[in-house]
Every structure is written in structure tokens, then in C-alpha cells.
């Protein structure tokens, strides 16, 4: 498979994974615990087992978001053909700002698009504005209160989208046309 397409596919998953990293760290895949498979058996959560993405060697298994992000950044560096350490040092913070802003904005679909009752993706951290809007709906609040919560939620979403666009424009300004095209394929730029 073409490395660019492979990397593009991986970035498609990144948004979802980044949103649930905090919850994944707190969850146990029951590897070796009561009711789980014995150590050394498939699914034990050991190196190469579930949640280890190829065996990161963490005791007890589990997803290591820092290691995953590091791999994604290294693949981004290779895709953008940034072999010079100084060039990469200049571009890296801009790439990270885009990734952070995309996560804050809720990724490609925006926050709250999926899941039961439209409450977000599994593991997604909802904004305080989203929680307030959800609460007003659950409590069957007066229409004026719902309207106010909806306006605040939309304003917060608009602000996060503006921050994402600013981060993307800053990244685009330092890339060559070829690198910009690669960044679009990676999902960093629209």
C-alpha cells in the first residue's frame, strides 16, 4: 500500500484515538486479571496483546498515547520530507498545534455528532458548554434557558473552529507546495 495512503488512513483514526486517550489509560483490558486469559495467552494484554498496538512493553498492557503520538509525528516528519532537524524543530510545534486544535474542535465531525442521543464519541471529553446544553435538555429546562445554552455552545464551537483554522494557516505558511499537499493528504490541512 502506498505509504501516503497508509498514513492518511492512520490519521483518520488519530482524531478518535486522541479524544479517548484519557479514558483508555484508566481502563483495564482485564489482561491476566480475574476472568481474563492467563499470562502468555492471546489477549493477555502483554507485549503485542490487545491494547498494546504491536507490543509497547508496558506492564499490564494498555494503550500508550504518548508513544502513539510520537509515532504519528515521526510519520508526519517523513511524509513532509523534513530530514533536517532544524526544519523539523520549526514545523513540529505548528503540527502539534493543529492536532491539538482539531482535538479541541472535536475532529472532522465536530463534538457530539455520534453516540447514543448524540452525546459524543466513546471516551470523548465534552466541553462545559456541551455539558450545560445536555443538562438543560435532560432537565426539560425552559426554552429561554435552552436557547441561551445553545447560543453559548455554538459560540464555543465557533471559537474552537477559528483556533483550528489559525493553526492550520500557520502551518501552511511554512510549508512548500509539495509539503502542503502532503499535509492535506495527512488530514492536517483542509
Amino acid at each position: 500500500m502506498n505509504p501516503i495512503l497508509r498514513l492518511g488512513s492512520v490519521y483518520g483514526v488519530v482524531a478518535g484515538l486522541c479524544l479517548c486517550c484519557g479514558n483508555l489509560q484508566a481502563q483495564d483490558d482485564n489482561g491476566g486479571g480475574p476472568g481474563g486469559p492467563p499470562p502468555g495467552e492471546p489477549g493477555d494484554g502483554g507485549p503485542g496483546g490487545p491494547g498494546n498496538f504491536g507490543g509497547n512493553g508496558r506492564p499490564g498492557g494498555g494503550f500508550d498515547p504518548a508513544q502513539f503520538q510520537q509515532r504519528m509525528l515521526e510519520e508526519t516528519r517523513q511524509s513532509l520530507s523534513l530530514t533536517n532537524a532544524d526544519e523539523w524543530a520549526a514545523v513540529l510545534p505548528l503540527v502539534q498545534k493543529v492536532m491539538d486544535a482539531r482535538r479541541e474542535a472535536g475532529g472532522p465531525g465536530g463534538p457530539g455528532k455520534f453516540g447514543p442521543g448524540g452525546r459524543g464519541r466513546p471516551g470523548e471529553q465534552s466541553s462545559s458548554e456541551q455539558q450545560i446544553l445536555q443538562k438543560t435538555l435532560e432537565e426539560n429546562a425552559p426554552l429561554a434557558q435552552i436557547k441561551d445554552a445553545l447560543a453559548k455552545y455554538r459560540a464555543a464551537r465557533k471559537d474552537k473552529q477559528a483556533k483550528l483554522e489559525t493553526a492550520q494557516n500557520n502551518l501552511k505558511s511554512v510549508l512548500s507546495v509539495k509539503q502542503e499537499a502532503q499535509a492535506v493528504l495527512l488530514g492536517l490541512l483542509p
Side-chain angles (χ1 to χ4, degrees), residues 131-150:
Q131 291 171 358
I132 291 169
L133 178 58
Q134 184 66 43
K135 186 176 178 182
T136 59
L137 292 172
E138 289 171 355
E139 294 176 351
N140 200 21
L143 292 179
Q145 191 176 347
I146 294 172
K147 188 175 181 179
D148 182 57
L150 180 58

Side-chain angles (χ1 to χ4, degrees), residues 145-164:
Q145 191 176 347
I146 294 172
K147 188 175 181 179
D148 182 57
L150 180 58
K152 289 178 182 175
Y153 174 71
R154 284 182 171 152
R157 247 181 36 185
K158 188 176 181 180
D159 181 54
K160 290 174 185 176
Q161 185 62 36
K163 287 179 182 176
L164 172 60

Side-chain angles (χ1 to χ4, degrees), residues 72-151:
M72 295 305 301
L73 290 171
E74 187 55 37
E75 288 185 25
T76 300
R77 178 181 181 174
Q78 291 173 2
S79 293
L80 297 177
S81 302
L82 291 169
T83 56
N84 180 304
D86 292 334
E87 289 177 350
W88 177 240
V91 173
L92 175 60
L94 300 174
V95 169
Q96 287 178 317
K97 283 183 182 180
V98 169
M99 290 177 160
D100 292 346
R102 183 174 300 281
R103 186 174 49 252
E104 284 290 315
K113 295 285 187 180
F114 302 104
R119 292 190 183 128
R121 298 171 190 89
E124 178 180 278
Q125 298 295 322
S126 58
S127 67
S128 60
E129 295 85 2
Q130 183 178 358
Q131 291 171 358
I132 291 169
L133 178 58
Q134 184 66 43
K135 186 176 178 182
T136 59
L137 292 172
E138 289 171 355
E139 294 176 351
N140 200 21
L143 292 179
Q145 191 176 347
I146 294 172
K147 188 175 181 179
D148 182 57
L150 180 58

Side-chain angles (χ1 to χ4, degrees), residues 40-81:
E41 293 291 320
D44 74 343
N52 262 342
F53 282 89
N56 62 16
R58 288 182 61 197
F63 173 69
D64 184 352
Q67 188 178 49
F68 181 76
Q69 182 181 19
Q70 186 59 40
R71 281 192 300 236
M72 295 305 301
L73 290 171
E74 187 55 37
E75 288 185 25
T76 300
R77 178 181 181 174
Q78 291 173 2
S79 293
L80 297 177
S81 302

